[in-house]
Amino acid sequence: MDKKAIVEKRLASLRTYLDDNGLDGAMLNSYENYRYFSLFTGSNGYLVVTKDKVALVTDKRYTTQALMETVDCEVIEHAANRLELVADTIKKMGIKRIVMEEGMAVGEYFALKEKLADTEVVFESEYFLEIRMVKDEEEIGHIRDAIRCAEGGFEKLIPKLKIGMTEKDLADELHYLVSKEGAEAMSFGTIVASGPRGAMAHGVPTDKVIENGDMVVVDFGVMKDGYCSDMTRTLLFGDISKEDQYIFDLVRESQIAAINAIRPGVLAREVEQAHRDVFLKAGLEDYALKGLGHGIGLEIHECPRIVIGNETRLVPGMVFTVEPGLYFPDRCGVRTEDDVLVTESGCENLSHTPHEIHIG
Ligand SMILES: [Mn+2]
């Protein structure tokens, strides 16, 4: 798809939303949302959309870039008082009833409101989450690329690992290798948690030395073309005890059960339940978290959330993580995580790294 077709399709959805809600304009100022609707990748932007026009207010650092990246969009450069220019733009475009993002800064809202006395402002969050929840081909391509960078770097990391290195050594090496594979940035702070530290589901890498017998949770993601990947492998260093291997195998069994449950029409909570049933049967459910996964896209955590009670029905084009784990305080933790795409007939596991990897 070319840029114009991508943007037109997304804007058509937004304009339908405006019509359905009696609105004649939208102002988007979160990075993910203005990027989604305009393809502009700069860090400062206010995108104003009406039924037949699009304008982007940004600063001089980004004018050239904005003109290159956007399609059929007026680029307006602001100087000192950006909010005044945003308000003027909204007024000039004749907007009487506008939707803004619920998450916008309170200070910005009050400054704008003061200048927009005759404009009614309503707030929205759900719609923006929902439209980005189902990915188009373009987005799925970017996510595949992000996963490729992450897995390429991870594969090269494995031969470099040894007992005696620190968690931080491992993380540093991983960051270098994924960057060499083409990653733009990490999509969140990498987690490396070895041995007993693995019980902390989100342990940051420390100077702790990885010892013989440690299970090491490595959870990381990269960004490519603005899109995030997310993966976890629990690496098995040296001689793993029978008990630890049992836990490791059970987590993987839970992941397989969940992935087998993924297809259009199934509820998010049913996928979560499929993973939980494996832990319930083993009597270890208390050691699991209350969720299984989350959507990925421009943000590392998006909808759908694969959690208890979520009635969202799966449809083709959703991409989310499947990351079961068991966490035993002061003893160990295991998590494994793949990124899965819902397809017409079921699902495609976008992750290809083997799950069981022994080091040393
Ligand atoms: Mn994740």
Side-chain angles (χ1 to χ4, degrees):
M1 263 215 275
D2 68 352
K3 266 168 51 169
K4 194 176 163 77
I6 294 163
V7 169
E8 275 177 3
K9 187 162 172 264
R10 294 178 189 174
L11 287 174
S13 157
L14 178 56
R15 284 168 173 148
T16 302
Y17 165 84
L18 295 179
D19 273 345
D20 291 350
N21 291 279
L23 295 154
D24 51 13
M27 198 281 283
L28 306 170
N29 69 324
S30 72
Y31 170 79
E32 291 81 10
N33 284 337
Y34 65 66
R35 178 170 181 157
Y36 183 78
F37 288 105
S38 75
L39 305 181
F40 171 59
T41 66
S43 66
N44 172 23
Y46 299 81
L47 189 74
V48 185
V49 179
T50 64
K51 276 162 200 173
D52 52 6
K53 281 201 181 63
V54 183
L56 175 72
V57 178
T58 186
D59 68 83
K60 198 164 185 174
R61 289 175 299 167
Y62 291 125
T63 311
T64 309
Q65 182 184 331
L67 287 166
M68 280 167 55
E69 289 175 338
T70 61
V71 206
D72 299 334
C73 173
E74 184 186 357
V75 176
I76 302 169
E77 187 180 297
H78 72 69
N81 198 337
R82 62 184 194 282
L83 292 177
E84 199 159 304
L85 193 52
V86 172
D88 282 349
T89 304
I90 290 169
K91 279 189 269 191
K92 256 189 222 150
M93 289 169 88
I95 302 170
K96 294 274 170 274
R97 192 159 184 266
I98 190 166
V99 62
M100 296 187 186
E101 294 185 51
E102 194 172 74
M104 77 182 295
V106 173
E108 292 208 326
Y109 167 67
F110 281 110
L112 274 175
K113 193 175 184 299
E114 205 177 292
K115 299 177 172 70
L116 289 172
D118 299 327
T119 310
E120 188 188 343
V121 180
V122 300
F123 291 103
E124 175 65 88
S125 59
E126 288 295 304
Y127 164 74
F128 300 116
L129 295 173
E130 275 168 23
I131 183 178
R132 285 178 25 218
M133 175 164 74
V134 180
K135 272 67 187 177
D136 57 35
E137 281 307 316
E138 181 77 10
E139 297 184 283
I140 293 166
H142 292 323
I143 293 171
R144 284 184 198 276
D145 287 344
I147 293 171
R148 198 173 302 130
C149 293
E151 294 198 309
F154 193 72
E155 195 184 331
K156 293 192 170 76
L157 173 74
I158 300 304
K160 296 177 183 290
L161 300 180
K162 47 186 181 295
I163 293 163
M165 74 193 303
T166 67
E167 293 171 346
K168 202 165 170 307
D169 291 337
L170 189 158
D172 290 346
E173 191 69 36
L174 175 64
H175 296 159
Y176 174 76
L177 290 169
V178 296
S179 177
K180 283 284 171 200
E181 293 291 313
E184 294 161 355
M186 304 310 289
S187 44
F188 57 90
T190 297
I191 294 161
V192 181
S194 64
R197 294 193 70 250
M200 292 188 287
H202 278 193
V204 297
T206 66
D207 289 327
K208 179 191 171 298
V209 169
I210 298 173
E211 292 169 50
N212 181 34
D214 275 358
M215 296 195 288
V216 182
V217 178
V218 181
D219 185 350
F220 72 103
V222 309
M223 297 182 84
K224 185 75 178 165
D225 297 305
Y227 283 78
C228 298
S229 71
D230 193 1
M231 73 179 273
T232 306
R233 288 296 180 269
T234 296
L235 300 170
L236 306 170
F237 277 71
D239 308 306
I240 299 300
S241 70
K242 273 204 176 74
E243 295 79 9
D244 283 1
Q245 183 73 45
Y246 169 76
I247 292 159
F248 182 92
D249 292 342
L250 199 65
V251 169
R252 174 65 180 138
E253 188 187 328
S254 163
Q255 188 188 40
I256 292 168
I259 292 174
N260 285 339
I262 299 170
R263 60 183 175 278
V266 167
L267 305 178
R269 67 168 169 78
E270 293 174 323
V271 177
E272 199 283 340
Q273 187 66 45
H275 116 275
R276 181 167 302 279
D277 283 345
V278 172
F279 296 149
L280 277 165
K281 212 172 108 196
L284 292 173
E285 192 252 358
D286 284 349
Y287 299 95
L289 301 178
K290 298 297 174 198
L292 174 66
H294 53 89
I296 54 171
L298 286 166
E299 287 181 277
I300 185 61
H301 294 124
E302 298 199 348
C303 292
R305 313 275 163 171
I306 312 300
V307 295
I308 291 174
N310 185 354
E311 300 281 322
T312 302
R313 209 169 276 283
L314 303 188
V315 299
M318 287 178 175
V319 180
F320 54 82
T321 68
V322 177
E323 48 178 314
L326 288 173
Y327 308 91
F328 299 89
D330 303 320
R331 199 186 136 200
C332 68
V334 174
R335 175 166 67 257
T336 198
E337 174 181 31
D338 288 344
D339 300 333
V340 172
L341 166 70
V342 182
T343 62
E344 296 292 339
S345 59
C347 70
E348 178 189 344
N349 192 336
L350 302 178
S351 308
H352 299 100
T353 301
H355 290 86
E356 183 162 347
I357 301 171
H358 291 267
I359 309 292

